[in-house]
């Protein structure tokens, strides 16, 4: 916002004509570049601020990774654009002569715009590093659920053959059910049977 405000407020001058000229070596592209990148990064930062507020409510790991990836890509692009802007504005300001700026008109605003272009490089580079760290943490947390060893393997092997009463072995395929219900067999010894009433 500082770069945008400096260029819009004092980045243009009119010397003996109705046409406004850019203070950066009378190059309109320099002023337009600073204003465009400043507005784009300001709007992008507002959007990602809203995304950061709603980020904890996103339950899908895939959507979280996409949000972190977009944040990282935008921050890296913004840092690169500010680097280009710093080099471009500094070069144009270096070529500006005192004859083109009577009474140093707009010189403070031009220097402030160049300085804050440099600060913006560091700021967006830091945001890129934070977004990268968030992206890596999401992958590590997701791998905890996908790459963990299957602890039920041994349990499945033990649960397949379950001995029960009377020497009968029941083979099950469900690892969570040790023995099916009603698996015990009754002994039908004729000596233990008592005759019932005859009608």
């Amino acid at each position: 916002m500082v770069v945008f405000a400096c260029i819009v407020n004092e980045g243009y001058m009119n010397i003996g004509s109705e046409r406004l000229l850019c203070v950066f070596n009378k190059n309109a592209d320099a002023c337009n570049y600073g204003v465009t990148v400043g507005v784009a990064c300001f709007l992008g930062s507002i959007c990602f601020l809203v995304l950061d507020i709603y980020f904890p409510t996103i339950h899908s790991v895939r959507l979280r990774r996409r949000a972190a990836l977009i944040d990282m890509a935008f921050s890296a692009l913004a840092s690169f654009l500010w680097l280009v802007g710093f080099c471009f504005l500094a070069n144009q300001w270096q070529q500006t002569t005192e004859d083109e700026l009577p009474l140093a008109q707009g010189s403070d605003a031009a220097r402030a715009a160049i300085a804050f272009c440099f600060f913006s490089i560091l700021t967006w580079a830091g945001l890129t590093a934070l977004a990268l760290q968030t992206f890596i943490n999401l992958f590590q947390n997701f791998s905890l659920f996908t790459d963990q060893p299957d602890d039920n393997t041994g349990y499945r092997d033990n649960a397949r053959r379950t001995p029960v009463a009377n020497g009968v072995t029941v083979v099950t395929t469900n690892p969570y059910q040790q023995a099916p219900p009603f698996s015990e067999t009754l002994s039908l010894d004729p000596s233990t049977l008592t005759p019932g009433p005859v009608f």
Side-chain angles (χ1 to χ4, degrees), residues 40-60:
C41 289
F42 176 70
L43 295 177
S45 62
I46 290 177
C47 293
F48 284 106
L49 178 64
V50 174
L51 180 64
D52 286 341
I53 292 173
Y54 287 103
F55 190 78
T57 61
I58 300 174
H59 298 293
S60 174

Side-chain angles (χ1 to χ4, degrees), residues 149-166:
D150 191 2
D151 294 334
N152 295 325
T153 305
Y155 177 72
R156 287 190 187 121
D157 294 338
N158 295 332
R160 285 179 185 162
R161 296 186 171 270
T162 306
V164 292
N166 296 329

Side-chain angles (χ1 to χ4, degrees), residues 42-113:
F42 176 70
L43 295 177
S45 62
I46 290 177
C47 293
F48 284 106
L49 178 64
V50 174
L51 180 64
D52 286 341
I53 292 173
Y54 287 103
F55 190 78
T57 61
I58 300 174
H59 298 293
S60 174
V61 177
R62 181 176 297 175
L63 291 178
R64 284 190 173 198
R65 285 189 307 192
R66 287 181 182 175
L69 183 63
I70 293 172
D71 188 9
M72 181 178 61
F74 182 82
S75 299
L77 178 63
S79 180
F80 174 74
L81 292 177
W82 282 120
L83 175 64
V84 173
F86 171 74
C87 296
F88 186 31
L89 295 180
N91 183 17
Q92 293 300 311
W93 180 248
Q94 187 178 10
Q95 295 178 8
T96 304
T97 60
E98 295 180 359
D99 297 335
E100 296 174 352
L101 294 176
L103 301 176
Q105 182 181 359
S107 60
D108 292 336
R111 291 189 185 98

Side-chain angles (χ1 to χ4, degrees), residues 5-13 20-24 27 31 106 109-110:
C6 289
I7 294 177
V8 169
N9 287 335
E10 299 182 22
Y12 294 93
M13 61 182 178
L20 292 176
L21 301 174
C22 182
V23 295
F24 294 99
N27 188 351
C31 290

Side-chain angles (χ1 to χ4, degrees), residues 41 44-45 74-76 78-79 82 119-129:
C41 289
S45 62
F74 182 82
S75 299
S79 180
W82 282 120
F119 297 149
S120 297
I121 297 169
L122 302 178
T123 302
W124 286 101
L127 291 174
T128 305

